[in-house]
Amino acid sequence: MAVARWHSPHHRQSGSRELQAKNGMTEHRSGFVSIIGRPNVGKSTLLNALLGQKVAAVSPRPQTTRKRQLGILTIEHAQVVFVDTPGIHNPHHKLGEFLNQEAEESLQGVDVILWLVDSSSAPTEDDIRIADLLNKLPIRAHRLLVLNKIDTLSAEAEGESVRVEAFSRLLNHADVSTELNTGALKVSATKRLGLDELREKLISMLPEGPPDYPEEQVTDSYERDIAADLIRESCLKILRDEVPHSLAVRIDEFKERENGMAYIAATIFVERESQKGIVIGEGGKMLKSIGSAARKEIEEMGGRKVFLEVRVKVSKDWRDNQNMLNQFGYIKRK
Ligand SMILES: Nc1nc2c(ncn2[C@@H]2O[C@H](COP(=O)(O)OP(=O)(O)OP(=O)(O)O)[C@@H](O)[C@H]2O)c(=O)[nH]1
Ligand SMILES: [Mg+2]
């Protein structure tokens, strides 16, 4: 997989493309689309579905995504650089503050802000918080309201329009594209409904210009960072209680072996001794299933066999410990 470092949208090289656009030399469009929304609405699922490949961890639990991540879609007439972000919520730890900051910073300097909402429930406090942020934005990027999970709504059209109305009412309408009642902006990321229309709508909102990234590049994340997220994803899916939120994963070693396999050693950090016991499970059973589910995902991502070794360590209350947050790369950029 082609990977590179995070590039802030502010740092993209846009000079040449502005010139090209001015000269009318191209009808190619390119730009940045931030996907924001409260936790668990399906932002990362939507990103993966739009790209047609998995670059972002996904789970049924909130706060799966912890860092901004680019997903780059290159097609013949356009390049869309999606920014997947952590869910915006009411924070209870330093970690939560970091997550919100990651998401809020992604509102700056992008061409389109895609506000993804969960159509299976009425707007929540977090949705209101996000709408307020969007209404207060000094620089007006295009904003687009998209309803996800329409597969969960009953067949009566009434359910959909009630939801569209409830969410769009939260926005200051002067310059919002909500495309009410067109059906174009109601999607199901898991059932792949409405994605072609959404993609074309987004492209039409981007400026003309050449691509910012090489066509083979699909994300800005290193494979080892995605591997850490996939291990955390498998914990989030397999563990039942509150433990998953107290989890962080560090990759200690990532080596390509001559036989074509990769060797990965990772540590799962939890906040308390009791949680360590839960993650390891009776006779190490739980850790074994976490490791084997993660290994499969990492193998699929890299297209090669992986030998994965995982251990568990306690780092007391790390979610409120700035040093530990730094170690895991949850570092405020400003
Ligand atoms: N029924 C249904 N479920 C969906 C759909 N899209 C996503 N989901 C589910 O919603 C859950 C959350 O998905 P994520 O993609 O991790 O959500 P997120 O918004 O990235 O969450 P955070 O990273 O925690 O902010 C997962 O269980 C998905 O399978 C959809 O269109 N329909
Ligand atoms: Mg996510």
Side-chain angles (χ1 to χ4, degrees), residues 81-101:
V81 184
F82 293 100
V83 188
D84 186 18
T85 65
I88 293 175
H89 65 290
N90 185 17
H92 299 294
H93 308 93
K94 280 205 173 80
L95 174 66
E97 289 164 23
F98 168 79
L99 301 182
N100 277 357
Q101 195 195 23

Side-chain angles (χ1 to χ4, degrees), residues 43-44 57 64-65 84-85:
K43 298 177 294 298
S44 304
T64 302
T65 304
D84 186 18
T85 65

Side-chain angles (χ1 to χ4, degrees), residues 295-324:
R295 178 178 51 75
K296 283 188 197 124
E297 289 280 344
I298 300 169
E299 285 180 343
E300 193 164 321
M301 166 176 69
R304 50 136 158 60
K305 290 267 171 215
V306 166
F307 185 83
L308 176 64
E309 218 163 6
V310 189
R311 57 182 186 151
V312 188
K313 259 190 169 175
V314 178
S315 169
K316 201 169 170 305
D317 298 327
W318 68 262
R319 282 183 294 178
D320 263 324
N321 179 331
Q322 193 59 51
N323 283 339
M324 288 310 288

Side-chain angles (χ1 to χ4, degrees), residues 10-180:
H10 301 289
H11 294 148
R12 66 187 168 182
Q13 295 176 351
S14 60
S16 66
R17 75 182 209 170
E18 273 157 18
L19 197 69
Q20 250 181 312
K22 241 188 225 160
N23 295 340
M25 278 161 65
T26 176
E27 296 205 351
H28 187 278
R29 291 181 185 273
S30 79
F32 284 77
V33 175
S34 238
I35 306 176
I36 66 152
R38 67 176 170 82
N40 222 31
V41 296
K43 298 177 294 298
S44 304
T45 310
L46 179 67
L47 175 79
N48 292 335
L50 286 163
L51 294 179
Q53 91 181 67
K54 184 164 177 178
V55 297
V58 163
S59 92
R61 290 169 184 272
Q63 288 160 42
T64 302
T65 304
R66 286 189 177 159
K67 283 191 214 172
R68 281 186 298 216
Q69 182 181 9
L70 298 188
I72 305 161
L73 175 71
T74 305
I75 55 175
E76 204 183 341
H77 62 293
Q79 184 173 74
V80 191
V81 184
F82 293 100
V83 188
D84 186 18
T85 65
I88 293 175
H89 65 290
N90 185 17
H92 299 294
H93 308 93
K94 280 205 173 80
L95 174 66
E97 289 164 23
F98 168 79
L99 301 182
N100 277 357
Q101 195 195 23
E102 279 285 282
E104 287 171 25
E105 281 178 6
S106 79
L107 299 174
Q108 308 295 328
V110 294
D111 300 292
V112 180
I113 296 166
L114 189 168
W115 179 27
L116 193 68
V117 299
D118 180 344
S119 61
S120 68
S121 87
T124 65
E125 262 177 41
D126 289 336
D127 287 309
I128 293 168
R129 188 186 177 109
I130 294 164
D132 285 346
L133 271 174
L134 293 179
N135 288 334
K136 279 193 217 131
L137 269 185
I139 305 164
R140 296 286 164 129
H142 291 293
R143 294 170 296 166
L144 192 63
L145 173 63
V146 179
L147 272 79
N148 190 27
K149 308 197 186 183
I150 51 157
D151 55 293
T152 63
L153 285 183
S154 60
E156 315 108 57
E158 208 185 312
E160 282 186 9
S161 55
V162 167
R163 286 284 187 258
V164 172
E165 166 66 21
F167 282 102
S168 62
R169 211 185 305 127
L170 298 177
L171 289 173
N172 162 3
H173 266 262
D175 52 358
V176 178
S177 315
T178 48
E179 295 271 311
L180 296 182

